[in-house]
PDB file of all heavy atoms in Angstrom:
ATOM      1  N   LEU O 296     -10.679  12.005  -9.872  1.00 98.00           N
ATOM      2  CA  LEU O 296     -10.173  13.053 -10.785  1.00 98.00           C
ATOM      3  C   LEU O 296      -9.445  14.148 -10.009  1.00 98.00           C
ATOM      4  O   LEU O 296      -8.386  14.612 -10.432  1.00 98.00           O
ATOM      5  CB  LEU O 296     -11.316  13.636 -11.616  1.00 98.00           C
ATOM      6  CG  LEU O 296     -11.901  12.678 -12.669  1.00 98.00           C
ATOM      7  CD1 LEU O 296     -13.086  13.306 -13.378  1.00 98.00           C
ATOM      8  CD2 LEU O 296     -10.831  12.259 -13.687  1.00 98.00           C
ATOM      9  N   GLU O 297      -9.995  14.525  -8.851  1.00 98.00           N
ATOM     10  CA  GLU O 297      -9.345  15.572  -8.042  1.00 98.00           C
ATOM     11  C   GLU O 297      -7.971  15.107  -7.549  1.00 98.00           C
ATOM     12  O   GLU O 297      -6.992  15.872  -7.595  1.00 98.00           O
ATOM     13  CB  GLU O 297     -10.218  15.923  -6.828  1.00 98.00           C
ATOM     14  CG  GLU O 297     -11.406  16.812  -7.180  1.00 98.00           C
ATOM     15  CD  GLU O 297     -12.453  16.896  -6.056  1.00 98.00           C
ATOM     16  OE1 GLU O 297     -12.246  16.274  -4.975  1.00 98.00           O
ATOM     17  OE2 GLU O 297     -13.458  17.584  -6.257  1.00 98.00           O
ATOM     18  N   VAL O 298      -7.906  13.861  -7.088  1.00 98.00           N
ATOM     19  CA  VAL O 298      -6.629  13.367  -6.554  1.00 98.00           C
ATOM     20  C   VAL O 298      -5.623  13.179  -7.707  1.00 98.00           C
ATOM     21  O   VAL O 298      -4.441  13.452  -7.554  1.00 98.00           O
ATOM     22  CB  VAL O 298      -6.809  12.077  -5.722  1.00 98.00           C
ATOM     23  CG1 VAL O 298      -5.476  11.518  -5.264  1.00 98.00           C
ATOM     24  CG2 VAL O 298      -7.705  12.361  -4.508  1.00 98.00           C
ATOM     25  N   ARG O 299      -6.113  12.753  -8.893  1.00 98.00           N
ATOM     26  CA  ARG O 299      -5.202  12.646 -10.054  1.00 98.00           C
ATOM     27  C   ARG O 299      -4.620  14.010 -10.413  1.00 98.00           C
ATOM     28  O   ARG O 299      -3.435  14.119 -10.714  1.00 98.00           O
ATOM     29  CB  ARG O 299      -5.940  12.085 -11.272  1.00 98.00           C
ATOM     30  CG  ARG O 299      -6.041  10.599 -11.196  1.00 98.00           C
ATOM     31  CD  ARG O 299      -6.321   9.929 -12.517  1.00 98.00           C
ATOM     32  NE  ARG O 299      -6.522   8.513 -12.201  1.00 98.00           N
ATOM     33  CZ  ARG O 299      -7.511   7.770 -12.647  1.00 98.00           C
ATOM     34  NH1 ARG O 299      -8.400   8.267 -13.482  1.00 98.00           N
ATOM     35  NH2 ARG O 299      -7.599   6.519 -12.280  1.00 98.00           N
ATOM     36  N   GLU O 300      -5.471  14.995 -10.358  1.00 97.00           N
ATOM     37  CA  GLU O 300      -5.028  16.376 -10.660  1.00 97.00           C
ATOM     38  C   GLU O 300      -3.958  16.799  -9.637  1.00 97.00           C
ATOM     39  O   GLU O 300      -2.898  17.294 -10.000  1.00 97.00           O
ATOM     40  CB  GLU O 300      -6.256  17.297 -10.579  1.00 97.00           C
ATOM     41  CG  GLU O 300      -6.012  18.740 -10.918  1.00 97.00           C
ATOM     42  CD  GLU O 300      -5.729  18.953 -12.403  1.00 97.00           C
ATOM     43  OE1 GLU O 300      -6.253  18.171 -13.224  1.00 97.00           O
ATOM     44  OE2 GLU O 300      -4.958  19.886 -12.724  1.00 97.00           O
ATOM     45  N   ALA O 301      -4.247  16.559  -8.359  1.00 97.00           N
ATOM     46  CA  ALA O 301      -3.306  16.929  -7.296  1.00 97.00           C
ATOM     47  C   ALA O 301      -2.008  16.138  -7.410  1.00 97.00           C
ATOM     48  O   ALA O 301      -0.929  16.651  -7.096  1.00 97.00           O
ATOM     49  CB  ALA O 301      -3.954  16.691  -5.926  1.00 97.00           C
ATOM     50  N   ALA O 302      -2.113  14.893  -7.889  1.00 97.00           N
ATOM     51  CA  ALA O 302      -0.921  14.031  -7.974  1.00 97.00           C
ATOM     52  C   ALA O 302       0.080  14.563  -8.995  1.00 97.00           C
ATOM     53  O   ALA O 302       1.292  14.321  -8.862  1.00 97.00           O
ATOM     54  CB  ALA O 302      -1.331  12.608  -8.334  1.00 97.00           C
ATOM     55  N   LEU O 303      -0.399  15.294  -9.990  1.00 97.00           N
ATOM     56  CA  LEU O 303       0.490  15.853 -11.021  1.00 97.00           C
ATOM     57  C   LEU O 303       1.537  16.761 -10.398  1.00 97.00           C
ATOM     58  O   LEU O 303       2.677  16.839 -10.850  1.00 97.00           O
ATOM     59  CB  LEU O 303      -0.310  16.646 -12.062  1.00 97.00           C
ATOM     60  CG  LEU O 303      -1.289  15.846 -12.924  1.00 97.00           C
ATOM     61  CD1 LEU O 303      -2.108  16.791 -13.799  1.00 97.00           C
ATOM     62  CD2 LEU O 303      -0.552  14.816 -13.771  1.00 97.00           C
ATOM     63  N   ALA O 304       1.153  17.448  -9.311  1.00 97.00           N
ATOM     64  CA  ALA O 304       2.051  18.407  -8.666  1.00 97.00           C
ATOM     65  C   ALA O 304       3.294  17.746  -8.071  1.00 97.00           C
ATOM     66  O   ALA O 304       4.294  18.424  -7.833  1.00 97.00           O
ATOM     67  CB  ALA O 304       1.296  19.167  -7.570  1.00 97.00           C
ATOM     68  N   PHE O 305       3.220  16.440  -7.835  1.00 97.00           N
ATOM     69  CA  PHE O 305       4.398  15.762  -7.261  1.00 97.00           C
ATOM     70  C   PHE O 305       5.492  15.531  -8.305  1.00 97.00           C
ATOM     71  O   PHE O 305       6.622  15.185  -7.959  1.00 97.00           O
ATOM     72  CB  PHE O 305       3.994  14.436  -6.608  1.00 97.00           C
ATOM     73  CG  PHE O 305       3.148  14.607  -5.375  1.00 97.00           C
ATOM     74  CD1 PHE O 305       1.779  14.474  -5.427  1.00 97.00           C
ATOM     75  CD2 PHE O 305       3.739  14.926  -4.160  1.00 97.00           C
ATOM     76  CE1 PHE O 305       0.991  14.643  -4.289  1.00 97.00           C
ATOM     77  CE2 PHE O 305       2.966  15.104  -3.013  1.00 97.00           C
ATOM     78  CZ  PHE O 305       1.596  14.961  -3.086  1.00 97.00           C
ATOM     79  N   MET O 306       5.120  15.707  -9.592  1.00 97.00           N
ATOM     80  CA  MET O 306       6.089  15.606 -10.687  1.00 97.00           C
ATOM     81  C   MET O 306       6.852  14.289 -10.667  1.00 97.00           C
ATOM     82  O   MET O 306       8.072  14.258 -10.873  1.00 97.00           O
ATOM     83  CB  MET O 306       7.123  16.744 -10.604  1.00 97.00           C
ATOM     84  CG  MET O 306       6.514  18.115 -10.388  1.00 97.00           C
ATOM     85  SD  MET O 306       6.170  18.933 -11.922  1.00 97.00           S
ATOM     86  CE  MET O 306       7.813  19.490 -12.318  1.00 97.00           C
ATOM     87  N   GLY O 307       6.149  13.203 -10.420  1.00 97.00           N
ATOM     88  CA  GLY O 307       6.814  11.909 -10.418  1.00 97.00           C
ATOM     89  C   GLY O 307       5.903  10.835 -10.984  1.00 97.00           C
ATOM     90  O   GLY O 307       4.871  11.148 -11.591  1.00 97.00           O
ATOM     91  N   ASP O 308       6.285   9.594 -10.809  1.00 97.00           N
ATOM     92  CA  ASP O 308       5.483   8.470 -11.267  1.00 97.00           C
ATOM     93  C   ASP O 308       4.438   8.138 -10.194  1.00 97.00           C
ATOM     94  O   ASP O 308       4.653   7.285  -9.336  1.00 97.00           O
ATOM     95  CB  ASP O 308       6.412   7.276 -11.531  1.00 97.00           C
ATOM     96  CG  ASP O 308       5.668   6.069 -12.088  1.00 97.00           C
ATOM     97  OD1 ASP O 308       4.427   6.129 -12.186  1.00 97.00           O
ATOM     98  OD2 ASP O 308       6.334   5.068 -12.426  1.00 97.00           O
ATOM     99  N   VAL O 309       3.332   8.884 -10.225  1.00 98.00           N
ATOM    100  CA  VAL O 309       2.276   8.722  -9.229  1.00 98.00           C
ATOM    101  C   VAL O 309       0.962   8.448  -9.950  1.00 98.00           C
ATOM    102  O   VAL O 309       0.483   9.293 -10.697  1.00 98.00           O
ATOM    103  CB  VAL O 309       2.115   9.994  -8.348  1.00 98.00           C
ATOM    104  CG1 VAL O 309       1.061   9.761  -7.271  1.00 98.00           C
ATOM    105  CG2 VAL O 309       3.433  10.402  -7.727  1.00 98.00           C
ATOM    106  N   THR O 310       0.410   7.249  -9.784  1.00 97.00           N
ATOM    107  CA  THR O 310      -0.876   6.936 -10.389  1.00 97.00           C
ATOM    108  C   THR O 310      -1.921   6.781  -9.280  1.00 97.00           C
ATOM    109  O   THR O 310      -1.595   6.504  -8.144  1.00 97.00           O
ATOM    110  CB  THR O 310      -0.826   5.671 -11.250  1.00 97.00           C
ATOM    111  OG1 THR O 310      -0.129   4.654 -10.525  1.00 97.00           O
ATOM    112  CG2 THR O 310      -0.123   5.898 -12.562  1.00 97.00           C
ATOM    113  N   VAL O 311      -3.173   6.986  -9.655  1.00 98.00           N
ATOM    114  CA  VAL O 311      -4.261   7.037  -8.671  1.00 98.00           C
ATOM    115  C   VAL O 311      -5.382   6.091  -9.099  1.00 98.00           C
ATOM    116  O   VAL O 311      -5.793   6.108 -10.262  1.00 98.00           O
ATOM    117  CB  VAL O 311      -4.808   8.479  -8.542  1.00 98.00           C
ATOM    118  CG1 VAL O 311      -5.960   8.540  -7.545  1.00 98.00           C
ATOM    119  CG2 VAL O 311      -3.707   9.446  -8.146  1.00 98.00           C
ATOM    120  N   GLN O 312      -5.856   5.295  -8.168  1.00 98.00           N
ATOM    121  CA  GLN O 312      -6.884   4.306  -8.479  1.00 98.00           C
ATOM    122  C   GLN O 312      -7.858   4.148  -7.310  1.00 98.00           C
ATOM    123  O   GLN O 312      -7.420   4.044  -6.160  1.00 98.00           O
ATOM    124  CB  GLN O 312      -6.169   2.957  -8.748  1.00 98.00           C
ATOM    125  CG  GLN O 312      -7.080   1.788  -8.982  1.00 98.00           C
ATOM    126  CD  GLN O 312      -7.931   1.941 -10.239  1.00 98.00           C
ATOM    127  OE1 GLN O 312      -7.420   2.287 -11.296  1.00 98.00           O
ATOM    128  NE2 GLN O 312      -9.227   1.720 -10.115  1.00 98.00           N
TER     129      GLN O 312
END
Side-chain angles (χ1 to χ4, degrees):
L296 291 176
E297 283 167 0
V298 176
R299 279 199 186 133
E300 183 70 30
L303 295 174
F305 292 99
M306 313 269 281
D308 183 355
V309 183
T310 46
V311 179
Q312 175 64 48

